[in-house]
Structures are given as structure tokens and as C-alpha cells.
Amino acid sequence: MGSGGLGPAASPPLHQPARVSIYRAIHSAPSAPPAWLRPPAPGPAFLPLRGSSSRSDWLSGSGPRPRNAATVCWAPGRRARSRGVGEVSAMWAVSVLGAVLSRAPGRRAHSALAQLRGILEEELEGIRGAGTWKSERVITSRQGPRIRVDGVSGEILNFCANNYLGLSSHPEVIQAGLQTLKEFGAGLSSVRFICGTQSIHKDLEAKIAHFHQREDAILYPSCFDANAGLFEALLTPEDAVLSDELNHASIIDGIRLCKAHKFRYRHLDMADLEAKLQEAQKHRLRLVATDGAFSMDGDIAPLQEICRLASRYDALVFVDECHATGFLGATGRGTDELLGVKDQVTIINSTLGKALGGASGGYTTGPGPLVSLLRQRARPYLFSNSLPPAVVGCASKALDMLMEDNTIVQSMAAKTQRFRSKMKAAGFTISGVNHPICPVMLGDARLASCMADDMLKRGIFVIGFSYPVVPKGKARIRVQISAVHSEEDIDRCVEAFVEVGRQHGALP
Ligand code: PLP
């Protein structure tokens, strides 16, 4: 045992595990100090050893300390010379115990934990008090338009998944996952560059690049990781990154990690972006970073304008397409297809965890040398496990299905339009434009949360979003339309909103 501030006198005999002893000392005090702390009565008396001025001196740290624990012992063979020795020894033991109790690492850890609990409870209470507590409902079925939820009887209509194309539980996607699981195993137990690359990973990367018509692609465990890896690997202190203020948290975090000069332009504000681009002219590279579709508001980045400015100020454009890949644009390629700027967006990051099968995984697709650099430098790629084969199999199948036939993409646009127009006609404010993310704006966090609870009582699963996920005072219920919702499903959802909205005073 190291000194650890305890002082040698408190050291137990060597055979005794120190932490256990200290724990016992604390929990048995004061009535029964452990044997190794008790005075030697009636046997050999304790005397200070040569070199130690007095017991209290070295306990308090003022006198010279014995060199090691072994030198502190009950001096055998020497007898107590006066009747007071027993009492002195008892007093000494009490002071040793006091020193142990006040300095013991176990006790310090205990009080640190108590302090931590206090801090955490206060923080959690604050969240509850603000009405922004996010509880999780437990789904007991597969993901889909109809689900089962723990504690709720019967089937529930699900309007809050990113399962835009309904592929999360598509039989062909599941079958592909099972097949890949059987053939390639549960996982690689490795990162990609050590021994974690299988043929299916390379095939999926080629498929993604082909889908987006880009030179190459690199897979990550998630799009959060793709965003965390990109900026740091690509940009240096000589460069500049210009980011929409409402970009997804993972873009914000990714940018934080890089050493480039950071500019934040107001949400969708092209005049502000232009001003920031002018400021950034002195830097080597300029990268404009934006979500393609903003997940909290359902609005879409003005990519034509962004690309026009990027071209004027010699900048690159990066788009996060998590809420666009698979369903925006005529063939579901995303925002760049929707807005006709495919050849002007340099880098795309997106997810396999939403429209493309919904399992997990993310990617970057873009210029070949960029992808090669990411394989060398992107930390979430270098230091995290390969995507599990079953996940690769599901995503690969989802892409095949989408490339074969995109009628599903068209049907989703029509359903989105139905929901948005009916809700607006009923008097609700729906944010965003023609995106299957339809935020029903309510303002108050508690109202959003209570209305979501009452929707569930009517068999509709939606979720209230509040600070810090959205700005304070802008709480909402985010409804997400899927291509596999029927028109009846959508109408039922609108009817429930109207009933619950009236009940809570959100509608007249
Ligand atoms: N980017 C955006 C815009 C997102 O909405 C999300 C997920 O919510 C992510 C990135 C992270 O994606 P993933 O779930 O693959 O980590």
C-alpha cells in the first residue's frame, strides 16, 4: 500500500487488504476498531520506535515518519512500564482511527459520490421543473407504421420515426440482414484498417458512391461519427468553415473538433452567409456546411443560392443529407437532386439509420482523395468497430430496392401534402415546406408534452420536442410521415390532433 496520506501507523499488517480494512474501520467505528488498530493489551507494550519523535508528531505529519509500514509494529518483548500505558494506547488508537476516517480514500470517494448525487439530482430536478424531461416509451414490436408500446393496449399508429420509406421492417430488408449475418457473422471484432473490412463493406461503399453519383464513399458506425470525423481530418488552421446556426448537433460537434476558423451564419440567411464568405476570403479553403433538410423544422437549405455563393467566393459545399437521402428529389437522391445542384455539392454525409433500412451506420461520399484521406485520418473510422454485417446487408438491400423502383418516393410526397394541408385547415401551424417532417408548433414545452401523451391515449404515437433539442419557447410535436402510412392513418392522426388540441386550448 502506498502512503496515500494515511501515515504508516494506519497501515494494516501486510497480509490484510488495505481497502477492505479501511472500509471496515469506517463501518465498525467507533465501537469495534479492527484488530490491527487495537492497542496490544495485555501483551507486549507499544513504544515509539527510534527515530520517531512522538506518535502524535508523525500522525500530524510534523515529526519524522518511520520509513515504511513494516517499521510500525507492536514492539515485542518490551513491557508497559506504567499503568497509564493502556489508557495512552487507547487514546492513541482513537486518534489513529480518526486519522484513518478523515483521510481514507474510501471515505473521500464516498463523500465525492454523495456530492455528485446531490449535483445530479439538482440538475435532473431542474429539467423536470422546466417541463423538458424526455422520457422514453418502450416499443415491444418491430418498427413500422403500426407498433406496440409497453403499457398501452392494442396497436398504435406511429408518426414519429425516421422510417420514411417504411424499410425498417420490410421483409426483403430483414431477409438480407439475416442472410448477411449467416454468411459473414455477427461482427468483425475490429476496426476497418486492422482486420475489419469485408467484401460487403467495400460493396456497400461502392453502391453508396454510385447512388449519389460521387467518386467514392467511406462507411462509419453512424452519421454522427461521419460528421465528427470529417472537419478535423480535412480542415487546418489555414482554412475556414461556415456553418448554418441550426445545423445538427453532430455537425456542430464535428466543427468544434477542427482547428479551422469558424463562422456561423444565421439560419438560411444568404445575406449573412455572403458576408461571412467575404470575411473568410483570406483563408486557404472555405467550406460551407449545412443540413440538407433541417430535422427540427422540416425546412430545406436553399442549396441553389448556397452553391451560387460558393462558386462566387470559391468555396466548397458540404451537405448533411440524413433527412433527405432516399426520399427527396425525383429518384430519392436527396436535396441536391431536388434542387438541381448535384454537380455543385462537393461532400455529402448521410445515414443508413433512417430511410435506408433504419438500422445504423453513416457515410461520407465525395471526391476520391478526400475519402482516401478520411481512411487515414478520421478518428471515428480509425478507432471504432466496423459496421456489423447484418447492418451492412440491410442497408445494401434498401439501396438496391430504391435504385430498382422509386414509386415509393412519389407516394410519400402525396401523403406529406395530405397531412400538412389538413392540419393547416384545422388551424395548426406546421413548420417547414413539403417535407415529411411536419412540426406542429405549440410553443410551450409542457403543452407539447401533455398533448403528445393524450395523442397516445388515442392510439397515435408522436413526441413533444422542447429545449434543449429546440430553442426555448419553440416547443412542438414533430410528426413524421412515412410512405407506408395509409391515407386513413393520416386522417386518423389529424382527427386526434384536433380533439386533443381543443381539449388543451391549442385550437379554439
Ligand atoms: N445529422 C442529422 C441531420 C441527423 O438528424 C442525425 C440523426 O438524428 C445525424 C446526423 C446522426 O445520424 P446517426 O443516427 O446516423 O448518427
Side-chain angles (χ1 to χ4, degrees), residues 176-188 197-201 203 388-390 392-393:
L178 287 173
Q179 186 54 39
T180 327
L181 178 66
K182 272 193 194 153
E183 207 174 320
F184 289 90
L188 273 300
T197 302
Q198 290 171 318
S199 52
I200 48 170
H201 294 95
D203 292 347
V392 174

Side-chain angles (χ1 to χ4, degrees), residues 162 221-225 227 248 250-251 291 293 295 320 322-323 350-354 360-362:
N162 300 309
S222 69
C223 185
F224 204 108
D225 288 326
N227 287 340
H248 188 260
S250 55
I251 301 177
D291 278 12
S295 61
D320 176 323
C322 283
H323 292 278
S350 194
T351 184
L352 305 172
K354 300 191 195 302
S360 68

Side-chain angles (χ1 to χ4, degrees), residues 383-406:
F383 299 109
S384 192
N385 231 15
S386 308
L387 267 190
V391 170
V392 174
C394 290
S396 189
K397 186 62 176 180
L399 277 170
D400 286 345
M401 291 169 69
L402 207 55
M403 287 194 274
E404 272 162 28
D405 175 14
N406 57 52

Side-chain angles (χ1 to χ4, degrees), residues 252-420:
I252 294 168
D253 285 7
I255 289 175
R256 272 186 194 148
L257 291 172
C258 82
K259 294 197 170 69
H261 291 262
K262 295 158 186 117
F263 296 86
R264 200 167 61 147
Y265 62 92
R266 284 192 294 276
H267 183 49
L268 309 184
D269 185 335
M270 293 299 100
D272 197 29
L273 173 60
E274 181 160 17
K276 302 277 156 56
L277 276 167
Q278 284 164 354
E279 252 186 88
Q281 281 308 290
K282 56 183 177 288
H283 299 296
R284 184 187 68 163
L285 287 177
R286 285 155 295 286
L287 179 66
V288 180
T290 181
D291 278 12
F294 290 83
S295 61
M296 287 301 132
D297 290 301
D299 48 1
I300 291 171
L303 282 190
Q304 288 165 333
E305 190 61 10
I306 289 176
C307 290
R308 198 180 57 74
L309 287 174
S311 153
R312 181 183 300 168
Y313 293 97
D314 201 17
L316 302 163
V317 177
F318 159 84
V319 184
D320 176 323
E321 288 284 72
C322 283
H323 292 278
T325 300
F327 57 94
L328 281 193
T331 64
R333 279 359 183 224
T335 326
D336 59 346
E337 182 186 42
L338 180 77
L339 299 175
V341 290
K342 251 177 174 319
D343 52 342
Q344 295 168 63
V345 172
T346 321
I347 308 164
I348 288 176
N349 277 6
S350 194
T351 184
L352 305 172
K354 300 191 195 302
L356 300 183
S360 68
Y363 58 85
T364 296
T365 185
L370 168 69
V371 170
S372 299
L373 182 76
L374 293 173
R375 288 194 204 282
Q376 304 305 312
R377 292 245 182 97
R379 292 165 71 83
Y381 181 81
L382 291 170
F383 299 109
S384 192
N385 231 15
S386 308
L387 267 190
V391 170
V392 174
C394 290
S396 189
K397 186 62 176 180
L399 277 170
D400 286 345
M401 291 169 69
L402 207 55
M403 287 194 274
E404 272 162 28
D405 175 14
N406 57 52
T407 47
I408 196 162
V409 176
Q410 313 302 329
S411 100
M412 203 185 67
K415 284 167 190 166
T416 298
Q417 186 50 35
R418 185 181 186 94
F419 180 80
R420 281 180 170 272

